[in-house]
Amino acid sequence: MDKIKERLQHLRLEADNAVARAEEAEAQNKKYEQLLLEKEQEITSLQHKVSVLDADLEKAETKLADLKAAQEDGEQSKTANEGLQRKIQLLEEELDAADKNLKDAMDKLRQVDVKAEHFERQVTRLEQERDQWEKKYEEAQEKYRESKRELDELVATMEGL
């Protein structure tokens, strides 16, 4: 019986050890279940963060695409603006050249106008001179006719003598 008691005691000890191990395993199991629950919650939280970050990434990509499009529009506007600036510069240069040509033409017109006035005065003077010469010519013609008539009378008088 001692052996049985010993065996019983040994079985009790084994049972106590088994119960202790079982309790320890249950405690360990609860600990792992708690840890698993925490990890699942962390996974859920991280999945939520990932979805939020995906949405933020999509927004950022959309904003980046919009900014790139705006930059292209800005560059096109800049290119168009530069082209217009060059065109304005060319037109200003053409305007300056046209103004210079106009000024030169106006100067030449004034010179021609002055020369025309000078020639008109000369024409007027020459016409007056011509009128004087015509008057002198008519007077000389009249004197000639008068002298010829007198001469004819003198010749007729001399022939009658």
Side-chain angles (χ1 to χ4, degrees), residues 1-2 12-14 18 30 39 44 48-49 64-65 72-73 80 82 93-94 107 110 122 126 131 139 148 157:
M1 266 276 298
D2 277 336
R12 270 191 205 140
L13 185 61
E14 272 185 31
K30 278 187 180 182
K39 294 297 180 187
T44 304
H48 177 69
K49 283 183 181 179
L64 178 63
E72 286 180 18
D73 289 345
E82 288 172 354
E93 289 172 2
E94 285 181 23
D107 288 343
R110 282 188 205 104
Q122 280 185 342
L126 289 173
D131 290 344
E139 289 173 358
K148 187 174 181 187
T157 311

Side-chain angles (χ1 to χ4, degrees), residues 19-30:
V19 168
R21 278 194 326 248
E23 286 176 358
E24 189 179 316
E26 280 182 21
Q28 194 76 4
N29 190 23
K30 278 187 180 182

Side-chain angles (χ1 to χ4, degrees), residues 13-55:
L13 185 61
E14 272 185 31
D16 286 342
N17 284 340
V19 168
R21 278 194 326 248
E23 286 176 358
E24 189 179 316
E26 280 182 21
Q28 194 76 4
N29 190 23
K30 278 187 180 182
K31 182 178 163 186
Y32 287 138
E33 283 178 357
Q34 182 65 30
L35 187 61
L36 180 63
L37 184 62
E38 288 174 7
K39 294 297 180 187
E40 284 177 353
Q41 287 176 351
E42 188 177 335
I43 288 171
T44 304
S45 173
L46 289 173
Q47 284 174 339
H48 177 69
K49 283 183 181 179
V50 166
S51 65
V52 168
L53 289 174
D54 280 343

Side-chain angles (χ1 to χ4, degrees), residues 118-161:
H118 175 70
F119 287 132
E120 284 175 2
R121 284 192 297 268
Q122 280 185 342
V123 165
T124 304
R125 186 179 51 82
L126 289 173
E127 284 176 346
Q128 288 173 353
E129 197 174 306
R130 181 198 66 201
D131 290 344
Q132 289 173 355
W133 280 107
E134 284 178 354
K135 188 175 180 184
K136 284 181 183 180
Y137 174 74
E138 287 174 8
E139 289 173 358
Q141 282 283 46
E142 188 61 37
K143 282 182 183 180
Y144 170 74
R145 279 189 228 117
E146 180 81 23
S147 296
K148 187 174 181 187
R149 189 178 49 78
E150 285 177 10
L151 182 61
D152 285 342
E153 283 177 13
L154 184 63
V155 168
T157 311
M158 289 184 116
E159 283 180 3
L161 280 180

Side-chain angles (χ1 to χ4, degrees), residues 84-122:
L84 290 173
Q85 289 292 341
R86 283 191 297 268
K87 191 171 186 178
I88 287 170
Q89 183 179 4
L90 289 173
L91 288 173
E92 286 175 347
E93 289 172 2
E94 285 181 23
L95 178 62
D96 290 343
D99 283 345
K100 185 178 182 285
N101 289 340
L102 177 63
K103 183 180 176 188
D104 292 344
M106 291 300 289
D107 288 343
K108 287 179 182 177
L109 179 63
R110 282 188 205 104
Q111 290 173 358
V112 167
D113 196 30
V114 167
K115 285 181 182 179
E117 287 177 9
H118 175 70
F119 287 132
E120 284 175 2
R121 284 192 297 268
Q122 280 185 342

